[in-house]
Amino acid sequence: MRIVTWGFGAMGRGIAKNIIESKFMKLVGVIDKNPEFIGKDVGELLGLGNYGVRVRDSIDVIEETNPDLVVIATSSFVKDVLPQIEYAVKNHANVITIAEEMAFPFDSHPEESLYMDSLAKRYGVTILGTGVNPGFVLDTLIIALTGVCTRVGRIVAKRINDLSPFGKTVMETQGVGTTPQQFEEGLKKGTIVGHIGFPQSIAMIARALGWNITKIEEERKPIVSNVHRETPVVKVEPGMVAGCNHSAKAYVGDKCVIELYHPQQIHPHLEGVETGDYIEIYGDININLSIKPEIPGGKATIAIATNMIPIVISAQPGLKCMADLPVPRSILSFTR
């Protein structure tokens, strides 16, 4: 399988490394605009030695290399990745993107979704948005767990994670390092957004269970620190914001059927907070799943994007979500 990666940030580099180290995929091109990477050998940048493929800032890489699939790791938003998806598809390449809004764009971006679906079918390829969340923990995993229930009445899920490993951009969008007043101003301006993907996760679950969601309520609150916290990219003193407590509730009529909580902060352990992923399903049987500590976001996103490559290549053409495709599995564990 011939693969091009578009975007060579932390996620793109991890996916590229997996492809290089696999026995059945070949990295044939890398696209990125970072001047520190352009022209350099991908293998050497990854610490793997000379590989023979250099990072380029031209999208012509896709047309020249004729890949089976392009992995897009450039942005979180449909408006940004849509032109990239369009170019890849028109060159007969399947697409996997880790843009959060692409995990289930059908409700939030109906016109764009219809266009991408028809375009993919016209060119005989598949488009998938995936990641650890959205894409797995607060949607695909929940849907799988409902498979042992006859009836489901309500779902409550929480992902409590540590933001410390992430870079400057994530800190800014979560409001880390601001004052509570600056946090509120950032919410109003749209510079602080919290988690991207609650509407997508809710819509994916609702479609799978046949629920007609009539209202979604989201709330973002600052997590104010009582102690000094610090990462390589941000410092937080007592009284400053260490993260964002973002939640969403979805209703069918007046009944709340889905509750999702995602408090994210740097070094939560400094105030006695344990990370973890928790899913509660209430129905004819009740399910309570706890994963402690959290599934690590960066590594898991890199893994699931890699693991879905052969599944997407062999799938029926069109725009898909994770619930449309076979259960993901670790493909680099294969010994055959």
Side-chain angles (χ1 to χ4, degrees):
M1 290 176 280
R2 298 167 58 82
I3 314 298
V4 165
T5 58
W6 195 334
F8 203 62
M11 298 299 100
R13 290 196 299 273
I15 295 165
K17 185 174 185 290
N18 282 346
I19 294 167
I20 290 174
E21 292 180 339
S22 76
K23 304 297 183 183
F24 45 85
M25 293 185 285
K26 182 177 181 180
L27 186 68
V28 296
V30 174
I31 305 169
D32 197 272
K33 293 184 177 180
N34 190 333
E36 295 181 7
F37 298 149
I38 295 171
K40 296 182 179 178
D41 186 90
V42 173
E44 292 179 355
L45 288 171
L46 295 173
L48 302 174
N50 184 69
Y51 183 69
V53 172
R54 297 186 181 276
V55 178
R56 292 173 55 187
D57 64 350
S58 172
I59 62 175
D60 294 341
V61 169
I62 295 174
E63 185 175 357
E64 294 169 7
T65 58
N66 189 31
D68 296 299
L69 183 141
V70 176
V71 179
I72 298 175
T74 58
S75 173
S76 298
F77 307 104
V78 170
K79 65 180 178 63
D80 296 328
V81 299
L82 180 55
Q84 300 168 342
I85 292 171
E86 182 180 43
Y87 184 81
V89 168
K90 287 184 176 180
N91 280 280
H92 303 276
N94 297 279
V95 173
I96 290 176
T97 175
I98 59 171
E100 289 93 330
E101 286 189 341
M102 282 295 298
F104 197 91
F106 306 98
D107 288 7
S108 59
H109 298 79
E111 293 183 8
E112 294 89 339
S113 297
L114 183 62
Y115 172 68
M116 286 187 283
D117 185 58
S118 62
L119 189 71
K121 290 174 179 176
R122 187 186 316 163
Y123 285 89
V125 297
T126 303
I127 303 167
L128 174 71
T130 192
V132 67
N133 185 45
F136 187 72
V137 176
L138 294 185
D139 39 54
T140 305
L141 182 57
I142 291 172
I143 293 168
L145 289 172
T146 67
V148 294
C149 302
T150 303
R151 292 179 180 83
V152 174
R154 185 165 67 97
I155 294 167
V156 180
K158 302 176 183 178
R159 177 163 168 79
I160 303 171
N161 73 318
D162 185 357
L163 283 178
S164 303
F166 291 89
K168 185 173 181 289
T169 300
V170 171
M171 300 302 172
E172 291 174 349
T173 59
Q174 296 292 332
V176 179
T178 64
T179 65
Q181 182 179 356
Q182 290 169 336
F183 184 93
E184 295 301 327
E185 293 172 354
L187 288 179
K188 294 176 183 177
K189 293 178 181 177
T191 56
I192 295 175
V193 297
H195 171 61
I196 302 170
F198 274 147
Q200 286 72 27
S201 292
I202 288 170
M204 192 191 304
I205 295 168
R207 189 186 74 172
L209 297 181
W211 289 348
N212 181 26
I213 300 298
T214 53
K215 179 176 63 173
I216 296 176
E217 296 176 343
E218 295 190 58
E219 186 176 43
R220 300 168 181 85
K221 295 180 178 180
I223 300 174
V224 180
S225 184
N226 295 307
V227 299
H228 172 82
R229 312 188 197 190
E230 185 175 337
T231 79
V233 297
V234 67
K235 291 183 180 180
V236 174
E237 301 297 342
M240 296 176 66
V241 176
C244 179
N245 189 352
H246 193 171
S247 62
K249 295 182 178 180
Y251 295 81
V252 174
D254 295 328
K255 181 183 178 183
C256 181
V257 293
I258 301 174
E259 297 178 50
L260 302 180
Y261 300 90
H262 196 6
Q264 305 187 73
Q265 59 186 303
I266 63 170
H267 299 308
H269 67 281
L270 293 178
E271 295 204 38
V273 177
E274 294 184 357
T275 66
D277 298 308
Y278 309 93
I279 298 172
E280 300 171 16
I281 298 173
Y282 301 94
D284 61 312
I285 62 172
N286 296 332
I287 297 173
N288 191 320
L289 175 71
S290 296
I291 301 173
K292 295 193 295 184
E294 61 175 298
I295 296 174
K299 290 182 178 180
T301 294
I302 290 167
I304 200 164
T306 305
N307 290 331
M308 293 305 295
I309 288 174
I311 293 175
V312 168
I313 289 175
S314 62
Q316 291 295 312
L319 174 63
K320 308 295 183 182
C321 74
M322 288 293 290
D324 298 324
L325 299 174
V327 175
R329 72 292 311 270
S330 174
I331 62 172
L332 299 189
S333 298
F334 288 2
T335 57
R336 287 181 293 142

